[in-house]
């Protein structure tokens, strides 16, 4: 196998960073293709905790090249902070190891400002990370945005910022009553930041093209999850990018190449940060227990993650939506601490029973149907799993029609069992 995609199969935070880091040991290139620093991918190595937002999770391996594809929206200010943090953790980052597309859309101060103002004053709260992601993608699609390469030419930068700010000025002044930086201030700010990014900028399309032609092993690292996808997700409570496997073709720059394996990272229960419907959400002490034991706090914003049971109709849908070929089941250790275990196997919706959360279904109107499972209390010390855990896994596999290839039972690199080989 030469190429593998890692995609979140729920609402994000499924443990993509941990799995990317582990499979990164076996591949040559790791590529981020969408999203921005709204992502928070945590990797635990011994007593070190490294949280990556923009830098791909392959960076921890010296033999691996990490690529930020042009589908990513890039905040040069956040990058500077992350670069320093990662280096302070003892990880080497050089232009050989990290390649950033010169065509990434830039997240400006205006984008971040607008994201915050909309969340605080707008009619609908999405519960965004406040990182300017939506406004930056809007600028890109409206053809008024900046590309990273524009940061290297101050005159061009001023010209493009003028064009960009013309309409926004009206919003800031008259709709939100907010201060905002002048074009000159923003140009100065971005020009300075651009100098830090410049050594890493390159034509990542050609880099990847060569790598694929040379049969290098490439891993595509998704951020967020399919249920946050702009087209496939629970709109409008989604992020602004194509988080599923489809986003790879445009966001990494991979026309016509096939991806042999799409590995859906799946938490053994469900979590969600931010607003929006969540059919299996637990509002009781059990939900709080899972939240506490699972350490369910957002890696980017520190917000509490809402917790609930594993939702198989949603999983069945995301498996189809991203053509997943296997899943990794993470955080099984957390479920070893509960004394009641349920799994959602269908919804009652508009007088019917359905087993797949096809788009168009109003998730706020479904009534989940649960099957009570026997609890498992595995210690994972040997390769033998308890019959109850085997039943949990088999129930999932049978429902979604693809195998569970990986079991994760702790944040450490060693806390994992492979039932299937990847990059063999
Ligand atoms: P990502 O955004 O999908 O990369 O996931 P996050 O890093 O935001 O959240 C997953 C959290 O769970 C991180 O703190 C990981 O260290 C942790 N984690 C990953 N796999 C496991 C696991 O199997 N068990 C436990 N207890 N924690 C895990
Ligand atoms: P990783 O890669 C979980 C959620 C936000 C909000 C919605 C829109 O760590 O899995 P945005 O700032 O993107 O406009 O917010 O998407 N969200 C995430 N939730 N994990 C993430 O990333 C997320 N990135 C965005 O909470 O509901
Ligand atoms: Mg995360």
């Amino acid at each position: 196998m030469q190429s593998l995609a890692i995609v979140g199969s729920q609402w994000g935070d499924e443990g993509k960073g941990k799995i990317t880091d582990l499979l990164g040991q076996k591949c040559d290139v790791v590529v981020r293709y969408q999203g921005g620093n709204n992502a928070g991918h945590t990797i635990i190595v011994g007593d070190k905790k490294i949280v990556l937002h923009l830098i791909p999770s392959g960076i921890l391996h010296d033999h691996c090249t990490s690529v930020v594809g042009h589908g990513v929206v890039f905040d040069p200010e956040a990058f500077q902070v992350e670069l320093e943090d990662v280096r302070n953790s003892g990880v080497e980052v050089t232009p050989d190891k990290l390649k950033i597309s010169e065509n990434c859309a830039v997240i400006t101060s205006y984008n971040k400002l607008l994201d915050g103002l909309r969340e605080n004053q707008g009619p609908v709260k999405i519960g965004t990370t406040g990182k300017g992601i939506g406004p930056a993608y809007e600028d890109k699609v409206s053809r008024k945005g900046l590309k990273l390469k524009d940061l290297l030419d101050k005159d061009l930068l001023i010209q493009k910022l003028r064009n960009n700010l013309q309409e926004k000025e009206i919003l800031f002044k008259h709709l939100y009553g907010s201060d905002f930086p002048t074009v000159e201030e923003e140009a100065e700010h971005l020009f300075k930041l651009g100098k830090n990014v410049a050594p890493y900028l390159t034509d990542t399309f050609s880099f990847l093209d060569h790598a694929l032609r040379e049969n290098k092993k490439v891993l595509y690292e998704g951020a967020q999850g399919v249920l946050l996808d702009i087209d496939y997700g629970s709109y409008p409570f989604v992020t602004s990018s194509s988080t599923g496997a489809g986003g790879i073709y445009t966001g990494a720059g991979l026309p016509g190449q096939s991806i042999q394996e799409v590995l859906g990272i799946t938490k053994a229960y469900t979590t969600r940060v931010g607003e929006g419907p969540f059919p299996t959400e637990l509002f009781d002490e059990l939900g709080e227990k899972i939240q506490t034991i699972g350490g369910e706090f957002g890696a980017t914003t520190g917000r509490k993650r809402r917790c609930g049971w594993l939702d198989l109709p949603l999983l069945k849908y995301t498996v189809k939506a991203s053509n997943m070929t296997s899943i990794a089941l993470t955080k099984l250790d957390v479920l070893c601490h509960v004394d009641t275990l349920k799994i959602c196997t269908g919804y009652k919706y508009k007088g019917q029973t359905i087993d797949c959360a096809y788009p168009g279904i109003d998730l706020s109107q479904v009534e989940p149907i649960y099957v009570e499972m026997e609890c498992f209390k595995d210690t994972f010390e040997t390769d033998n799993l308890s019959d109850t855990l085997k039943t949990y896994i088999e129930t999932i596999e049978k429902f979604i029609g693809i195998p569970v290839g990986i079991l994760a039972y702790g944040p450490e690199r060693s806390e994992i069992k492979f039932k299937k080989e990847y990059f063999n």
Side-chain angles (χ1 to χ4, degrees):
M1 189 210 318
Q2 294 303 122
S3 64
L4 175 141
I6 282 192
V7 171
S9 70
Q10 295 155 316
W11 275 293
D13 302 326
E14 300 92 346
K16 298 176 291 293
K18 171 179 164 141
I19 306 292
T20 304
D21 167 58
L22 277 164
L23 294 179
Q25 291 171 359
K26 291 183 160 190
C27 69
D28 305 299
V29 184
V30 173
V31 190
R32 272 283 304 271
Y33 56 92
Q34 47 68 233
N37 59 316
N38 48 351
H41 298 174
T42 315
I43 301 165
I44 308 286
V45 188
D47 58 358
K48 273 191 204 157
K49 174 176 167 177
I50 299 161
V51 184
L52 298 165
H53 301 282
L54 264 174
I55 299 177
S57 302
I59 199 73
L60 270 59
H61 303 294
D62 285 337
H63 70 275
C64 206
T65 309
S66 288
V67 174
V68 178
H70 56 231
V72 168
V73 280
F74 197 96
D75 179 348
E77 196 171 22
F79 172 68
Q80 198 174 324
V81 175
E82 185 171 335
L83 191 59
E84 215 175 294
D85 283 354
V86 170
R87 284 196 173 132
N88 287 342
S89 326
V91 178
E92 199 189 19
V93 185
T94 61
D96 270 347
K97 266 185 78 182
L98 176 65
K99 303 198 178 290
I100 301 170
S101 169
E102 54 198 0
N103 284 322
C104 283
V106 176
I107 301 181
T108 63
S109 308
Y110 309 129
N111 295 144
K112 290 182 264 189
L113 194 56
L114 195 55
D115 195 359
L117 291 167
R118 281 180 180 158
E119 283 290 298
N120 292 327
Q121 299 179 34
V124 179
K125 191 174 158 65
I126 304 289
T128 72
T129 58
K131 304 293 181 190
I133 305 296
Y137 275 115
E138 286 168 33
D139 277 359
K140 171 176 167 172
V141 174
S142 74
R143 295 159 292 180
K144 284 179 184 290
L146 306 175
K147 299 277 181 174
L148 276 176
K149 62 185 174 199
D150 300 334
L151 305 190
L152 310 180
D153 177 339
K154 204 162 178 189
D155 291 336
L156 182 71
L157 194 51
I158 290 177
Q159 198 186 318
K160 291 207 169 182
L161 281 169
R162 272 212 183 105
N163 180 34
N164 184 280
L165 194 59
Q166 197 188 31
E167 289 171 345
K168 285 199 185 74
E169 232 177 65
I170 299 170
L171 292 182
F172 288 135
K173 274 189 198 156
H174 303 294
L175 182 63
Y176 295 115
S178 164
D179 288 337
F180 56 93
T182 63
V183 164
E184 287 70 25
E185 283 165 347
E186 183 69 1
E188 191 57 42
H189 177 63
L190 288 174
F191 185 66
K192 262 196 207 146
L193 290 168
K195 288 191 178 148
N196 296 328
V197 188
Y200 304 94
L201 291 188
T202 188
D203 164 13
T204 53
F205 172 83
S206 299
F207 175 81
L208 267 181
D209 187 41
H210 281 126
L212 290 164
R213 282 175 206 284
E214 287 168 11
N215 279 329
K216 298 276 193 228
K217 293 184 173 168
V218 182
L219 186 157
Y220 300 92
E221 179 185 15
Q224 292 82 51
V226 176
L227 297 173
L228 288 170
D229 186 285
I230 186 74
D231 290 299
Y232 291 103
S234 46
Y235 192 88
F237 302 101
V238 294
T239 190
S240 299
S241 66
S242 297
T243 59
I248 297 171
Y249 295 97
T250 50
L254 191 71
Q257 295 276 349
S258 71
I259 295 163
Q260 282 129 345
E261 177 94 34
V262 181
L263 174 59
I265 313 301
T266 307
K267 216 175 260 189
Y269 46 98
T270 310
T271 59
R272 177 164 207 177
V273 204
E275 307 297 316
F278 179 172
T280 60
E281 183 165 10
L282 286 163
F283 296 97
D284 56 8
E285 278 173 14
L286 197 50
E288 266 177 45
K289 187 172 177 183
I290 293 174
Q291 199 268 325
T292 308
I293 295 171
E296 296 296 356
F297 290 94
T300 298
T301 57
R303 289 177 293 176
K304 266 191 185 179
R305 294 175 183 148
R306 301 154 64 191
C307 297
W309 298 123
L310 184 61
D311 186 328
L312 291 180
L314 276 175
L315 189 58
K316 188 176 227 172
Y317 163 61
T318 59
V319 164
K320 286 177 198 283
S322 266
N323 200 19
M324 290 170 200
T325 46
S326 65
I327 65 165
L329 207 51
T330 64
K331 296 205 134 177
L332 284 164
D333 52 311
V334 177
L335 288 189
C336 290
H337 295 272
V338 299
D339 297 319
T340 311
L341 181 59
K342 289 184 184 174
I343 195 163
C344 170
T345 55
Y347 297 150
K348 283 190 186 144
Y349 182 64
K350 294 192 174 166
Q352 285 189 324
T353 302
I354 49 175
D355 72 350
C356 183
Y358 290 113
I361 289 168
D362 180 354
L363 287 179
S364 68
Q365 297 302 315
V366 303
E367 190 192 320
I369 300 165
Y370 292 108
V371 170
E372 185 135 4
M373 308 289 293
E374 253 188 83
C375 295
F376 48 85
K377 302 284 173 194
D378 293 58
T379 57
F380 301 98
E381 276 160 10
T382 68
D383 279 342
N384 297 327
L385 303 178
S386 65
D387 286 344
T388 42
L389 176 53
K390 277 192 205 151
T391 305
Y392 193 72
I393 295 166
E394 282 161 14
T395 305
I396 297 168
E397 287 178 328
K398 201 165 154 211
F399 199 95
I400 60 176
I402 57 168
V404 173
I406 296 176
L407 304 177
Y409 50 92
E412 290 276 348
R413 275 177 170 168
S414 58
E415 291 169 312
I416 195 147
K417 290 189 194 300
F418 286 90
K419 289 177 69 201
K420 187 175 164 348
E421 280 232 43
Y422 296 89
F423 284 126
N424 47 350

